[in-house]
Amino acid sequence: MQLTVWTYEGPPHVGAMRVATGMEGLHYVLHAPQGDTYADLLFTMIERRDRRPPVTYTTFSARDLGGDTAELFKTAAQNAYDRFKPQAMLVGASCTGSLIQDDPGGLARALDLPVPVVAVDLPAYQRKENWGAAETFYQLVRMLAGPSAPAPGTPRPQRAAGVRARCNLLGPTALGFRHRDDVAEIASLLAKLGIDVNVTAPMGATPADIARLGEADFNVVLYPEIAGQAASWLQRTFGQPFTKNVPIGVSATRAFVEEVARLAGVDASATLASDSTRLPWYSRSVDSTYLTGKRVFIFGDATHAVAAARIASDELGFKVVGLGTYSREFGREIRDAAKRYDVEPLITDDYLEVEAKVAELQPELVLGTQMERHIAKRLGVPCAVISAPVHVQDFPARYAPQMGFEGANVIFDTWVHPLMMGLEEHLLAMFKDDFEFKDGAVPSHLGAAHGAGDAGKPAQPVQMPIAVPEAGAIWAPDAEKELYKIPFFVRGKARRNTERFANENGVATITIETLYDAKAHYAR
Amino acid sequence: MNVHVQGCTVATDGTPKPVRRESGQREVFCGLTGIVWLHRKIQDAFFLVVGSRTCAHLIQSAAGVMIFAEPRFATAIMEEKDLAGLNDANDELDRIVAQLLARRPDIRLLFLVGSCPSEVIKLDLSRAALRLSQKFSPAVRILNYSGSGIETTFTQGEDACLASLVPAAPPPTRTSEDQLLIVGSLADVVEDQFIRLFDALGIGRVQFLPPRKAMALPAIGPNTRFLLAQPFLSDTARALEDRGATRLAAPFPLGVEGTTAWLRAASDSFGVAPALFEKVTQNHRVRAERALVRYRDQLGGRRIFLFPDSQLEIPLARFLSRELSMQLVEVGTPYLHREHLAEELRLLPDDVVLSEGQDVDLQLDRCRAARPDLVVCGLGLANPLEAEGMTTKWSIELVFTPIQGYEQAADLAELFARPLVRRAKLVA
């Protein structure tokens, strides 16, 4: 057993759901107990999707365990096909589903459905979400694109003269950190270079689109954690090379542009010459001088962590003091990068270990996941999010890519925002005992009520200046106490309403009764 | 899937109300979700789920939007070697609990919470809790309950948790008089209002389960009479009765009518004079009714469809139909406890359509066919239904909001009016 306060990844079947939900015309039948449908909320709430995920759960309960759970699965799969008529089906089990050993693959084959059925076997007690997504995508690609594969050893035919190069964009899924806008940013960058996108997958692709993957000249792997395995298979089977540079950061985007230009046989000099990102100037301008040498700790999935370290060190002038990942499958990438910055690589999925490391290193900024926010709050350190797992606030309405030249602009603003601004930092160093700008206080541009730095202290009721009511109704102590039971964000309004009510009705002393009389009078 | 519509004779005023029983795909939470509010109610308790990564993921997906300097829940994630029996599960648990308590010496009560995986492989957490309690007492008490999806739906997790607290409660002192116990998590402000009301009625010291502090468990014995504040507490009620306590039958304290009847059940039982009862409650009743008027104007005549979620659906439907004149299209509940809800069922309209259990696709078909004005449903369905042009009220909020008692009657109505008001307001 592993004591897990926070988990960096969900179980592998959530990875499979991310692939299925990102696609169109695919349905996933999952053998799972009642309650595992919570995962729908990841998509309908956190990502704010306007449709139910294409997932049917068997939702067995205790009384079904004595009966025929295999029959339950078959009925659910048949019903799902009849109702949704997908182009292909995905079948599998969740962690509890796998314990009862019903073999969803075999059961689905026995139904003899008129569409391809892909069975994904995801070892829930060994593997995690990203592995589940990668495995699911790989199995789908193999099953659906496999039939159009050339005979082994057939060389790739040359592209005819005058035909534009085509690539696939591989890796974006539902619930991916900024996948929506990364795809838009990279697709427009490729268009500038004169390269067409054949298929983007899994996001937005149908099973029929997956079958066409082999038609592209090469593959762009945006997220190696999800698409690496499928891209390797496509290279072996269709002779399609794939990109190794992930375009996060200015230098990485430039390297990526050169790489795709080479693979597509186009000239990238015009694109590279255009001054299409503001990060370099913002970072060189004197206002950023105080960022030099700021000590930063970086943690996330391997792709985002390695990219962040390069930006932090080479493009913003921070000092990387810690670098780690929870993606055990990508330990080597992190170890190589850690050598560059002369730090100890941290490869772990144990939140408590990460917490201990941050506490030990005492960085001035943490770049991490939603989980590092908890750590940063506890330790009172500024923090910005660079990688999944993330929550609802990191699926924003605005255009917010991490990749490409606009992604670099977004990154500059996001990372610098939590840091104290230069002037304030200087004045604090000179005058420590100011009644308002206290040593250790939260940067004033983040607002006084910002929670960091208060860790460990019991929450004090926020004292508000008591407005003296015009006609001078006074608060009885118990009514005042009652007022503090009202959530603070509506407390001020309740106070004003109650006083207004008391004055209008000639009440001299505000009692608990007055408070509720006023509440009922205004009824919010 | 199988649908049985049968004339279950729900004890009403002579007219049996048929209940549609459905089994099939259920879009509901498991009992682990109770941790999301229980960790705030009992502030010095810690919830350790023994389960898989799915369980850990569920809780943090729900609660992880808040940033915790000090988490109050965690998961002991079972690994391959635990399943293969290579590790002694009890040794592993001991190691993890020791690690946890070393990190958090302020914990007074630790719940070992069972999950689907731990139940399926029959890991005996109750014995582990007993063994660990002996090791760590008196500093920490360790209890066990199951929040697994195969056994519990959403709020039943609270039921299981409270039922596990009952045996740990002290016996009453021999001289003690009859005590009133209020059972079920209530918002702090609601508890305080009820304390004042019972005080004015002359009903002595009122106690609450769960308490705000783990160590302050109420005494329970033959002189305990209890009122259920929540409709989903069947196991807790049984555990209390096993200790000799008596349940006072009442509808639930939602709305003016429900609150009055609930208070009256206690007053009658404790011999409060009717005149005093009238005097104490009158102002509250009048005030709450006055506050409800505007919402009746907004909601009267509107058609409402409730998907099963928390077992609050039947009391809510009673309030919405009787005090706000809403039309009930269908009232779904995950589980119907006929005895505890008898007073509620009696107050529902005779032609009400009740359903117990769920086949979510069929229920969605019925909902789409009916095109109700307002759909009460979980967050897995809410946005998709909004996108289809329906107005929804997400049901989980009803568990996270002060809705009981007189002063909250209008707030409760407002929760249902708000989505309709919003839909009318937005132009873009």
Side-chain angles (χ1 to χ4, degrees):
Chain A
M1 291 183 197
Q2 187 194 10
L3 175 61
T4 308
V5 178
W6 302 106
T7 171
Y8 285 101
E9 293 183 73
H13 72 261
V14 168
M17 285 181 74
R18 286 176 52 189
V19 170
T21 306
M23 287 177 62
E24 310 272 341
L26 177 76
H27 199 86
Y28 184 21
V29 182
L30 184 65
H31 206 13
Q34 167 180 285
D36 279 7
T37 51
Y38 82 87
D40 285 357
L41 274 68
L42 306 171
F43 303 99
T44 61
M45 296 305 295
I46 295 180
E47 204 180 13
R48 263 182 250 258
R49 286 185 173 253
D50 61 358
R51 273 173 289 172
R52 293 180 67 207
V55 183
T56 293
Y57 308 77
T58 53
T59 55
F60 56 82
S61 55
R63 64 172 179 279
D64 298 317
L65 293 177
D68 194 351
T69 48
E71 199 52 43
L72 195 69
F73 180 85
K74 282 166 77 170
T75 312
Q78 186 66 56
N79 285 351
Y81 176 77
D82 293 344
R83 179 175 281 268
F84 300 105
K85 294 284 190 299
Q87 293 177 27
M89 288 252 276
L90 202 57
V91 297
S94 79
C95 54
T96 308
S98 66
L99 291 176
I100 57 179
Q101 299 182 331
D102 273 338
D103 183 24
L107 294 169
R109 271 193 301 281
L111 290 175
D112 202 20
L113 297 170
V115 294
V117 175
V118 181
V120 275
D121 187 17
L122 305 172
Y125 297 91
Q126 293 171 349
R127 302 294 194 159
K128 298 197 281 290
E129 181 179 335
N130 281 336
W131 188 90
E135 174 70 12
T136 303
F137 186 46
Y138 164 68
Q139 295 292 358
L140 276 168
V141 168
R142 263 187 67 158
M143 180 138 189
L144 299 168
S148 52
T154 316
R156 228 190 134 65
Q158 285 294 308
R159 195 166 79 240
V163 176
R164 282 162 62 102
R166 282 187 302 170
C167 67
N168 300 311
L169 293 187
L170 301 183
T173 61
L175 210 70
F177 176 62
R178 307 298 169 86
H179 288 195
R180 178 194 70 194
D181 298 342
D182 283 352
V183 166
E185 182 69 16
I186 297 308
S188 86
L189 184 62
L190 292 166
K192 275 201 197 87
L193 290 161
I195 302 167
D196 292 333
V197 174
N198 175 48
V199 171
T200 301
M203 192 194 272
T206 61
D209 292 331
I210 302 283
R212 299 192 292 116
L213 283 174
E215 296 168 11
D217 301 305
F218 65 97
N219 287 313
V220 168
V221 174
L222 293 180
Y223 307 103
E225 280 88 350
I226 292 164
Q229 203 182 348
S232 299
W233 181 85
L234 286 165
Q235 182 170 37
R236 289 196 304 277
T237 311
F238 290 93
Q240 293 169 322
F242 63 89
T243 57
K244 312 290 188 294
N245 285 291
V246 177
I248 301 176
V250 179
S251 331
T253 301
R254 289 174 167 276
F256 169 82
V257 167
E258 283 163 6
E259 185 182 26
V260 292
R262 195 165 31 76
L263 290 173
V266 297
D267 176 21
S269 50
T271 306
L272 291 172
S274 71
D275 216 359
S276 47
T277 171
R278 298 184 191 92
L279 181 143
W281 168 242
Y282 270 57
S283 192
R284 269 197 302 271
S285 68
V286 296
D287 196 44
S288 299
T289 310
Y290 83 108
L291 300 175
T292 313
K294 279 225 178 277
R295 306 170 68 259
V296 54
F297 175 88
I298 298 169
F299 195 83
D301 70 23
T303 299
H304 286 89
V306 170
R310 183 173 176 182
I311 299 167
S313 172
D314 303 358
E315 296 174 18
L316 294 175
F318 293 151
K319 177 167 176 40
V320 176
V321 295
L323 177 62
T325 186
Y326 57 80
S327 315
R328 289 184 177 281
E329 293 89 351
F330 289 76
R332 202 181 64 203
E333 284 78 350
I334 287 284
R335 278 190 289 270
D336 292 350
K339 275 199 201 85
R340 277 192 54 198
Y341 309 108
D342 193 24
V343 295
E344 195 66 39
L346 177 66
I347 297 158
T348 180
D349 58 0
D350 184 345
Y351 166 86
L352 297 173
E353 214 177 317
V354 179
E355 185 182 59
K357 194 71 179 173
V358 178
E360 173 205 333
L361 292 168
Q362 291 288 319
E364 293 167 89
L365 175 67
V366 172
L367 299 175
T369 73
Q370 177 77 10
M371 306 311 148
E372 278 62 55
R373 285 183 169 178
H374 302 286
I375 296 171
K377 177 181 179 183
R378 187 177 190 196
L379 302 173
V381 183
C383 177
V385 170
I386 59 158
S387 157
V390 294
H391 222 291
V392 61
Q393 61 275 60
D394 280 301
F395 289 93
R398 69 180 186 281
Y399 186 59
Q402 298 286 291
M403 289 186 174
F405 294 129
E406 181 57 23
N409 296 340
V410 170
I411 285 172
F412 181 90
D413 291 346
T414 308
W415 294 10
V416 172
H417 177 76
L419 296 169
M420 192 167 284
M421 291 189 166
L423 174 65
E424 188 164 348
E425 196 176 61
H426 283 295
L427 287 172
L428 262 180
M430 288 178 67
F431 313 109
K432 278 210 181 350
D433 286 335
D434 190 276
F435 65 88
E436 181 184 353
F437 297 92
K438 289 187 189 63
D439 194 24
V442 173
S444 61
H445 73 279
L446 299 180
H450 193 74
D454 285 338
K457 282 189 217 128
Q460 293 295 328
V462 183
Q463 289 293 342
M464 294 171 302
I466 298 179
V468 180
E470 315 105 88
I474 52 163
W475 284 80
D478 63 343
E480 180 106 42
K481 238 169 95 177
E482 190 79 359
L483 181 69
Y484 279 108
K485 293 170 189 164
I486 297 169
F488 72 90
F489 44 85
V490 290
R491 196 179 301 145
K493 188 175 166 205
R495 180 188 283 276
R496 276 197 307 276
N497 274 353
T498 307
E499 288 167 355
R500 198 166 87 198
F501 178 85
N503 294 336
E504 283 170 4
N505 292 282
V507 177
T509 305
I510 295 171
T511 62
I512 291 176
E513 293 304 298
T514 321
L515 180 69
Y516 286 121
D517 281 332
K519 181 170 187 278
H521 176 75
Y522 294 108
R524 302 257 284 278
Chain B
M1 303 264 161
N2 311 324
V3 178
H4 320 279
V5 180
Q6 47 201 86
C8 310
T9 42
V10 170
T12 63
D13 299 333
T15 37
K17 295 190 170 91
V19 179
R20 175 194 283 267
R21 285 248 189 76
E22 280 195 332
S23 60
Q25 198 194 155
R26 291 166 163 243
E27 182 84 22
V28 289
F29 284 128
C30 65
L32 294 180
T33 329
I35 294 170
V36 174
W37 66 92
L38 287 166
H39 83 265
R40 290 290 177 91
K41 184 74 210 177
I42 317 174
Q43 290 168 28
D44 49 0
F46 193 96
F47 295 81
L48 179 65
V49 177
V50 181
S52 66
R53 193 166 301 281
T54 308
C55 310
H57 194 238
L58 155 76
I59 299 172
Q60 79 182 35
S61 302
V65 72
M66 301 180 284
I67 307 296
F68 288 85
E70 275 306 346
R72 300 182 217 173
F73 43 80
T75 310
I77 293 184
M78 296 195 284
E79 295 159 315
E80 200 76 2
K81 41 188 188 290
D82 300 299
L83 297 175
L86 299 177
N87 284 350
D88 183 318
N90 286 313
D91 293 349
E92 286 292 289
L93 258 182
D94 291 11
R95 180 179 61 79
I96 281 184
V97 168
Q99 185 188 350
L100 179 65
L101 294 177
R103 188 173 183 266
R104 296 289 309 282
D106 53 321
I107 296 169
R108 292 283 156 269
L109 172 62
L110 174 64
F111 288 103
L112 301 179
V113 188
S115 66
C116 298
S118 74
E119 299 292 331
V120 167
I121 66 166
K122 306 239 180 318
L123 187 57
D124 191 346
L125 291 179
S126 59
R127 289 189 52 192
L130 211 59
R131 187 184 65 248
L132 286 160
S133 272
Q134 284 159 357
K135 185 171 165 187
F136 289 102
S137 74
V140 190
R141 177 179 273 155
I142 297 168
L143 298 174
N144 146 259
Y145 73 90
S146 172
S148 75
I150 54 177
E151 293 162 303
T152 58
T153 303
F154 193 30
T155 47
Q156 287 176 323
E158 175 173 333
D159 187 26
C161 174
L162 301 191
S164 78
L165 280 171
V166 173
T173 52
R174 197 173 304 200
T175 55
S176 61
E177 300 182 349
D178 281 6
Q179 295 273 7
L180 179 61
L181 179 67
I182 307 299
V183 188
S185 282
L186 291 168
D188 296 347
V189 67
V190 176
E191 265 184 26
D192 294 341
Q193 289 166 9
F194 285 152
I195 289 171
R196 285 197 298 270
L197 280 166
F198 286 122
D199 213 31
L201 290 166
I203 297 173
R205 228 153 50 84
V206 177
Q207 310 219 63
F208 290 86
L209 185 71
R212 295 183 199 185
K213 288 273 189 254
M215 285 313 187
L217 277 173
I220 296 164
N223 58 354
T224 305
R225 301 179 208 173
F226 66 94
L227 269 177
L228 294 179
Q230 300 280 14
F232 44 74
L233 297 169
S234 53
D235 288 357
T236 308
R238 194 174 320 117
L240 289 165
E241 284 161 353
D242 286 349
R243 296 218 24 193
T246 313
R247 183 179 72 94
L248 304 177
F252 293 90
L254 298 178
V256 181
E257 184 183 32
T259 304
T260 304
W262 188 77
L263 292 169
R264 183 170 280 133
S267 297
D268 290 351
S269 169
F270 281 80
V272 177
L276 178 62
F277 184 82
E278 280 304 307
K279 185 167 154 268
V280 168
T281 58
Q282 194 194 6
N283 280 347
H284 296 276
R285 288 203 312 264
V286 171
R287 187 160 65 187
E289 275 162 8
R290 206 171 48 227
L292 280 173
V293 171
R294 98 158 41 167
Y295 299 113
R296 195 173 309 123
D297 293 344
Q298 289 173 1
L299 293 169
R302 303 272 202 152
R303 299 163 65 250
I304 188 163
F305 190 112
L306 295 98
F307 277 78
D309 186 55
S310 64
Q311 298 181 52
L312 281 162
E313 296 80 9
I314 286 173
L316 287 170
R318 182 261 304 159
F319 165 71
L320 295 168
S321 71
R322 291 175 68 94
E323 297 186 43
L324 297 165
S325 313
M326 292 191 83
Q327 306 282 318
L328 306 175
V329 178
E330 180 174 329
V331 182
T333 180
Y335 176 70
L336 179 57
H337 193 293
R338 291 185 188 338
E339 191 195 344
H340 290 180
L341 284 152
E343 285 72 19
E344 291 284 356
L345 290 163
R346 223 169 277 144
L347 296 171
L348 283 176
D350 282 339
D351 58 350
V352 69
V353 176
L354 298 173
S355 61
E356 182 180 7
Q358 188 177 39
D359 184 328
V360 70
D361 284 318
L362 297 181
Q363 197 164 31
L364 281 166
D365 289 346
R366 293 200 297 275
C367 181
R368 289 178 182 123
R371 296 299 293 185
D373 297 307
L374 189 62
V375 182
V376 180
C377 62
L379 290 171
L381 301 176
N383 275 334
L385 286 175
E386 290 279 349
E388 290 180 30
M390 290 192 227
T391 308
T392 62
K393 160 80 214 91
W394 52 284
S395 48
I396 299 135
E397 195 174 12
L398 299 158
V399 179
F400 290 151
T401 311
I403 58 173
Q404 293 83 1
Y406 290 122
E407 317 303 348
Q408 282 67 236
D411 298 349
L412 177 56
E414 197 272 340
L415 286 179
F416 293 91
R418 193 186 305 168
L420 291 163
V421 169
R422 182 169 183 78
R423 182 162 282 250
K425 263 177 111 79
L426 298 181
V427 293

